[in-house]
Amino acid sequence: MRIILSVLMENEFGALSRVVGLFSQRGYNINALSVSQTNNIEISRLTLITSGSPSVISQIKKQLEKLLNVIDVVDITSLDHTEKQLSLVKLKAADISGIKLASVIANFNASIVKSNEKTGYIILQLSSTNSEISSCIDYIGKEHVLEVVSSGVIGIENSIRHLKE
């Protein structure tokens, strides 16, 4: 079972280390991790993806809630939510036709963030779900992709409710 946890925590030295240490000590895997300051500079939002059985997930949430500096923990996968990740995809320009590139841009809401005719590469930006980004790369053809760099997934609940600071 894959879940996205949204964790509000105090923006303090060592807070992230304690969260990562908890996963390491318990043998839990973090599939993706993204941390940023909220609109309150004293609070950070950590979004992480992990997986496990329902009992493991329940244990992870309980252990996170016990950590010093953790303010709130919500499993947003159990709620109506929006999730996105940012990927930069480097292509060899000679390997992709203009028509196919236009199709990628139109069908996958991609944008060209950098291209260099002299060295012959194009960097596309994709902001979407992990599966949509994978579909885009499959459409381009993995043999044409030189490199992919992706951020961690971020997510937010689709309602007026919000995590309490």
Side-chain angles (χ1 to χ4, degrees):
M1 178 168 108
R2 171 192 179 265
I3 64 162
I4 302 172
L5 293 176
S6 187
V7 180
L8 282 184
M9 56 190 197
E10 296 171 4
N11 190 7
E12 296 283 334
F13 176 81
L16 177 60
S17 177
R18 281 186 277 283
V19 170
V20 173
L22 179 148
F23 277 75
S24 176
Q25 291 168 358
R26 308 267 179 194
Y28 305 141
N29 191 35
I30 297 174
N31 301 97
L33 177 69
S34 178
V35 183
S36 66
Q37 183 178 297
T38 65
N39 54 352
N40 178 345
I41 62 170
E42 296 178 357
I43 307 292
S44 292
R45 178 185 299 261
L46 180 150
T47 305
L48 68 87
I49 297 179
T50 189
S51 58
S53 67
S55 65
V56 167
I57 299 302
S58 175
Q59 191 66 21
I60 289 171
K61 288 169 40 182
K62 287 177 185 171
Q63 294 297 320
L64 282 171
E65 289 167 347
K66 290 181 185 176
L67 286 178
L68 185 67
N69 305 114
V70 170
I71 300 166
D72 200 1
V73 179
V74 174
D75 171 6
I76 63 170
T77 46
S78 64
L79 308 169
D80 182 26
H81 71 283
T82 298
E83 65 178 85
K84 297 284 182 181
Q85 81 177 34
L86 176 67
S87 292
L88 299 174
V89 181
K90 186 184 297 180
L91 308 170
K92 190 173 179 182
D95 289 351
I96 188 162
S97 72
I99 293 171
K100 188 161 189 172
L101 185 58
S103 178
V104 167
I105 291 169
N107 294 324
F108 295 97
N109 201 22
S111 60
I112 297 173
V113 293
K114 188 83 174 177
S115 66
N116 187 320
E117 291 181 22
K118 187 175 180 182
T119 57
Y121 70 87
I122 298 169
I123 299 175
L124 296 177
Q125 175 181 302
L126 298 161
S127 173
S128 191
T129 64
N130 190 29
S131 65
E132 290 170 345
I133 290 170
S134 293
S135 295
C136 180
I137 291 169
D138 288 344
Y139 179 78
I140 292 168
K142 291 180 181 174
E143 66 276 11
H144 304 304
V145 175
L146 298 172
E147 188 174 13
V148 178
V149 179
S150 296
S151 68
V153 171
I154 57 171
I156 193 164
E157 183 181 347
N158 295 338
S159 78
I160 193 71
R161 192 182 91 83
H162 61 281
L163 295 178
K164 305 284 188 291
E165 294 181 2

